[in-house]
Structure formats: structure tokens, C-alpha cells
Amino acid sequence: MRAIEIKNDGFHLTERPKPVPLAGQVLIRVAYAGMNRADRLQIKGLHPPPPGTTDIPGLEVSGVIEATGEAVCALLPGGGYAEFVAADKDLCLPVPKPLSLEQAGVLPEAAFTIWNNVFVRGSLKSGETLLVHGGTSGIGTLAIQMALSMGAKVLATCSSDDRAAFCEKLGAKAVNRNTVSFVDAFRATPPNVVLDMAGGKTLSDDIGLMALDGRHVSIAYLESQKAEIDIAAVMKKRLVITGSTLRGRPLAEQRSLAEGLKAHIWPLIEKGQITPVIDQVFPLEKAQKALEYFSSGIHIGKIVLKN
């Protein structure tokens, strides 16, 4: 089969043997594969695949199960940038009826991440307020829609006025953090939950802004891996500061997240309340071009590879 391998600090098309599913797995003929920041980190050796996992990048796909013909999207530990992939059967979710295979191909990684961090770890409830940093990222655009659909209010920070306007169209109150202090802008509506991809000073500012009993969840540290924390503010506000990663977590935990998504989020997608945002589609053999475009940071939403 055709597949993408990491070589010389980039993505290169190669030929690999078709995977053979293990017990509890299914073989998927891949139609689309979503691109994620973790794939870029893997190139740099900063996010290696779990032991025993293929070195082929790609953490999410859509396609058809070879044995049954069922259209699914799947969360993977790796291997998605290929014509075929073996996936845990319990991490394969049906393609929601309103979505195309293309849209479903960019759904799993973001959906699992948001469900875990915003709704499980962050315990966001209807009527509460979520602050999303990086509102036009693949995770950000989906998090805004998921939170709104679950009855929450959403605030978002972005890197430009155009991006803030895009988030406003999705239903969030958004600001360009390069020209406006988000702390000042959102002071009247302090968030109950923060989904933070920045870290650094942003985390410090979040602590000063958050509501009583707020929950702060870190999923990346694009600004800085280290932050200064006002312990007194954490104590007085009774804040919870947590974070998580998804890749490499025990299968039992990932399967539990899949059940939560099927029960609570998939029905909302089928009602048309949540739609993944796709910026561009590249053919599999142009994965390096897709990587360069991804690295430029000019995209809004997700980038997808097509077989």
C-alpha cells in the first residue's frame, strides 16, 4: 500500500505492507486522514508513537471497514497516512449522517480531545462559560460548537481580527489577543472552564480571570512550557488546574471517551449542530505540501489528506 513515512525531517511517499488486524481490530480502507500538530511533533521526535505502534503518522481517519463495508471514522495511535490502517474496533465511530467522509476524517482527534478535556476533566455544564485559546484551530472551531450545543457560552481568543470574526460567526464572543487584552475584554464574564493551548503567561492571566471553582485544562504549550502561578488566587478561587494528553493513553480510557462521544455529541452532529471546519484538502502524495501549509499557521480549522 501507499503510505507516508517520516524521513529527512519531512513527509515522504513510500510503499509499506498492508497491516494485518490484531484481535479486537478492524482493517479500514482509508478515504481521508486529518492532519494534527502531533504529526509535526513526531517529525521532531517530540511526540513518538507508543511502543508497538507503526511509525507511519496520522492519528485519525475516515473510511470503510473492509470486512463489513461500514463507513466509520477512527481514532488511532498512528498509521493514518496510508491507504489502509488497522484500528481498534471500539475506537471506530459511525460517520454521522449529515457529514461526508471528508468531514468525518478530521473529527476523531479533536472530538476525543475536547470531550476529555472540556467535558470530562473540565466538567463544563450547561449555562457555564468556556474560554478557548486558539479559537480558529481545528480543536478550537470544534470546541466552540460542541460547547454551544451543550448549552454553554463561549469566549475565544485569536491572533487576528479576521479570525476573531470567524469565531463570532460560530457563536463565540471573540477577541484578537494581539490588539486587545482578553483579561480586560472578558472580565465581566469570567470563564468557568478554560481550554488552553498556549501555556506560559496566558495560563497566569487565566488564573486572574477565572470564576470561582473554575477548571483550567492545558492541552499544549505553544507560548511556553513554564508558567508563573499565583497560588493565593488558586486558593481563594478554589481553582482546579489540570491537563492531559490523548495519544498512548490506555485503551480502556479511550474506549470510555468514545462511549461518551456516541452518547452525547454524535446525536448533536446528526442534528446539524456541529460541523467540522476544513481549510484545505491535499492528496496523500502531497503530504509534504500539506505539512508546509500547516506549518505556515495561516489555516482555519483542519487540513485533510485524501487517498
Side-chain angles (χ1 to χ4, degrees):
M1 67 174 184
R2 297 188 312 155
I4 297 297
E5 67 179 0
I6 295 173
K7 185 178 180 181
N8 299 326
D9 296 326
F11 290 151
H12 298 270
L13 189 67
T14 187
E15 293 282 329
R16 291 286 184 92
K18 186 189 298 186
V20 177
L22 303 175
Q25 293 184 333
V26 294
L27 183 67
I28 297 174
R29 180 183 291 272
V30 177
Y32 296 91
M35 182 168 282
N36 293 281
R37 181 171 175 269
D39 304 324
R40 292 174 57 201
L41 294 176
Q42 184 173 330
I43 293 174
K44 300 176 182 179
L46 300 177
H47 198 56
T53 301
T54 176
D55 63 333
I56 297 172
L59 304 180
E60 60 184 350
V61 298
S62 65
V64 175
I65 296 176
E66 281 284 275
T68 65
E70 179 185 2
V72 296
C73 56
L75 181 72
L76 309 166
Y81 291 5
E83 290 183 300
F84 294 89
V85 68
D88 184 84
K89 64 181 181 60
D90 293 321
L91 298 183
C92 295
L93 299 173
V95 174
K97 292 179 182 177
L99 299 190
S100 63
L101 276 174
E102 178 182 298
Q103 292 170 314
V106 301
L107 186 58
E109 175 70 13
F112 274 79
T113 297
I114 296 160
W115 180 254
N116 176 38
N117 291 286
V118 174
F119 296 98
V120 177
R121 303 190 72 82
S123 300
L124 183 69
K125 301 174 182 63
S126 178
E128 291 189 325
T129 299
L130 169 70
L131 169 58
V132 179
H133 291 298
T136 55
S137 65
I139 285 177
T141 53
L142 195 67
I144 290 171
Q145 296 179 71
M146 286 172 62
L148 290 171
S149 296
M150 294 287 280
K153 301 173 185 177
V154 183
L155 312 172
T157 65
C158 306
S159 60
S160 71
D161 291 343
D162 288 345
R163 289 175 181 271
F166 188 91
C167 288
E168 296 267 358
K169 289 181 181 178
L170 292 178
K173 179 180 179 182
V175 297
N176 174 0
R177 60 179 296 157
N178 290 325
T179 59
V180 176
S181 164
F182 73 86
V183 174
D184 291 340
F186 298 146
R187 198 178 300 279
T189 54
N192 305 99
V193 179
V194 178
L195 182 64
D196 181 20
M197 309 176 208
K201 186 178 182 298
T202 296
L203 191 156
S204 304
D205 290 341
D206 288 337
I207 289 173
L209 175 64
M210 291 170 66
L212 285 173
D213 295 307
R215 291 82 71 193
H216 185 284
V217 191
S218 294
I219 59 170
Y221 37 87
L222 298 176
E223 184 179 320
S224 176
Q225 186 175 348
K226 296 183 179 181
E228 185 173 298
I229 294 176
D230 183 342
I231 297 174
V234 173
M235 294 168 61
K236 290 175 183 177
K237 292 186 176 185
R238 306 184 297 270
L239 302 181
V240 173
I241 301 176
T242 184
S244 76
T245 58
L246 181 61
R247 190 182 197 184
R249 289 182 67 175
L251 269 176
E253 295 179 12
Q254 295 187 1
R255 288 166 177 166
S256 177
L257 296 175
E259 289 301 317
L261 285 172
K262 283 191 286 187
H264 299 284
I265 299 301
W266 251 235
L268 300 175
I269 298 175
E270 292 182 345
K271 292 178 181 178
Q273 297 180 26
I274 301 169
T275 303
V277 175
I278 293 177
D279 187 288
Q280 282 203 42
V281 180
F282 292 82
L284 182 66
E285 60 269 20
K286 298 292 185 181
Q288 179 61 25
K289 291 292 185 183
L291 174 65
E292 292 167 3
Y293 181 69
F294 191 113
S295 300
S296 73
I298 63 175
H299 62 286
I300 291 178
K302 298 278 288 194
I303 297 168
V304 61
L305 299 178
K306 177 183 180 180
N307 266 310

